[in-house]
Amino acid sequence: LVEDLAALHLDTHARVLSASLVRPPPEARSVDRVAVEVFRIARLRYLDGEPLVLHEAFLPAALGVRVSKLDLEHAAISQLLEQELGIEIVEEGQQIEAVVADSELAHLLDVAIGSPVLLIRRMLRLPRDSTMVLFKSFYRADRYFYTLNLAPAAPACAPEAVKKNRRARH
């Protein structure tokens, strides 16, 4: 993710598109279940001078105001929460799906309307008061791929056993 790009010392920076209070979309209502508004930060991140990803962060209002005053051009919001604000983060989950670029997203990412885009949703929990933060990142599928390293299979699922099971199912 963005943290990986920074760790690899790649030429990346973000342009803040907006940072303001908004009515939460349905999927962001868990950020603050009682508030009428949440703080939304939208940024367009570039890699080697070309658009790579549109990031949207939905935070509780007071926290969002604090985060919006930090350096949003060069750091990931999760890093800013931990390093600049001293807030511990517990990652609750991540979901990846393929979507198509609508006209606004296509324009921002410089792709054709209908192009494939990888949508990565991350929901973080801040353990002090169970506050939630939602990140939505729309990555250009032609410039980004996701790699996941998995642990080796347990002995009960050794390759020979898997081969036998596969044959039995066909």
Side-chain angles (χ1 to χ4, degrees):
L1 301 173
V2 174
E3 295 90 341
D4 297 331
L5 299 174
L8 294 171
H9 304 290
L10 297 174
D11 178 19
T12 178
H13 72 281
R15 178 171 55 102
V16 177
L17 303 175
S18 65
S20 62
L21 289 170
V22 298
R23 293 187 66 86
E27 66 188 327
R29 288 195 183 120
S30 61
V31 168
D32 190 335
R33 295 186 191 282
V34 296
V36 175
E37 295 180 314
V38 296
F39 203 90
R40 177 181 174 264
I41 299 172
R43 301 177 302 160
L44 185 60
R45 182 161 297 278
Y46 295 83
L47 176 64
D48 297 328
E50 294 184 41
L52 174 67
V53 56
L54 172 66
H55 294 293
E56 291 181 304
F58 296 90
L59 305 104
L63 180 59
V65 169
R66 290 175 61 198
V67 169
S68 71
K69 295 176 183 175
L70 301 174
D71 179 11
L72 297 172
E73 291 187 10
H74 299 98
I77 290 176
S78 58
Q79 289 174 324
L80 294 172
L81 288 171
E82 289 184 313
Q83 295 170 6
E84 297 292 324
L85 299 178
I87 298 173
E88 182 184 358
I89 294 176
V90 176
E91 180 134 358
E92 287 291 301
Q94 181 168 288
Q95 178 185 30
I96 303 170
E97 69 178 284
V99 297
V100 295
D102 61 16
S103 60
E104 181 182 357
L105 189 55
H107 173 73
L108 288 170
L109 294 178
D110 195 23
V111 296
I113 294 172
S115 292
V117 176
L118 292 174
L119 169 56
I120 299 178
R121 286 185 189 88
R122 292 173 73 189
M123 183 64 84
L124 305 181
R125 183 173 52 85
L126 311 180
R128 281 190 241 161
D129 58 2
S130 295
T131 298
M132 303 297 279
V133 177
L134 170 66
F135 295 105
K136 290 175 61 179
S137 299
F138 299 86
Y139 285 85
R140 282 179 52 158
D142 64 335
R143 300 196 67 213
Y144 182 82
F145 62 92
Y146 192 86
T147 301
L148 182 64
N149 294 321
L150 303 173
C157 293
E160 217 33 58
V162 171
K163 287 179 189 175
K164 289 178 187 173
N165 287 339
R166 284 188 184 146
R167 278 189 233 126
R169 281 188 239 145
H170 289 126

